[in-house]
Amino acid sequence: MVLASPADLADRLGRDLTAAEERQANVFLADATAIIIERFPRYATTPTATSKKVCCAMVLRVLRNPDGKRQETIDDYSYTVDSSRSTGEIYLSPSEVEELRPAHGGGARSPSSQVPRW
């Protein structure tokens, strides 16, 4: 079982996956699913739109930057990738962990529920 499909990735990319991306996508989606379920076992039996979104985001970081480049310069052209997208690894970011945490009372997490009140 995986939380998202290659079609879900293509929808988020706004284009079809290349043949190479499609081959990698299945493996990366399985890896991302394993990471999510290890940390949040409830998604193994109850996948949600949020778990699908987070699974895709984890994989898209790698697909969009498969070589893990941080910066590239050719002649007078320079391109820099945000460091969080340049690791080349599948991981849960802190904001994704927050998204996957169950909300108190069963509702969606509101910004005020994430900040302690003193």
Side-chain angles (χ1 to χ4, degrees):
M1 191 241 354
V2 291
L3 295 172
S5 70
D8 295 322
L9 293 173
D11 289 344
R12 285 163 175 79
L13 277 172
R15 64 171 174 80
D16 291 337
L17 299 177
T18 66
E21 288 171 336
E22 182 113 18
R23 284 191 304 275
Q24 291 178 311
N26 289 308
V27 174
F28 291 157
L29 288 166
D31 292 346
T33 295
I35 291 167
I36 291 169
I37 290 174
E38 182 177 310
R39 184 93 184 255
F40 302 97
R42 72 187 187 106
Y43 291 113
T45 56
T46 312
T48 65
T50 299
S51 64
K52 178 190 289 191
K53 174 184 162 270
V54 169
C55 187
C56 286
M58 294 168 69
V59 172
L60 287 173
R61 277 194 289 272
V62 177
L63 288 181
R64 286 182 173 144
N65 189 13
D67 299 326
K69 291 180 182 176
R70 167 82 173 105
Q71 185 170 350
E72 179 177 64
T73 303
I74 300 170
D75 296 327
D76 62 347
Y77 168 79
S78 180
Y79 180 75
T80 303
V81 174
D82 183 283
S83 61
S84 68
R85 287 184 50 199
S86 67
T87 66
E89 298 176 14
I90 295 176
Y91 64 92
L92 276 167
S93 72
S95 63
E96 291 163 347
V97 169
E98 283 301 313
E99 283 186 75
L100 292 170
R101 281 196 178 130
H104 300 292
R109 290 183 70 88
S110 67
S112 62
S113 70
Q114 297 175 17
V115 179
R117 297 190 184 235
W118 306 105

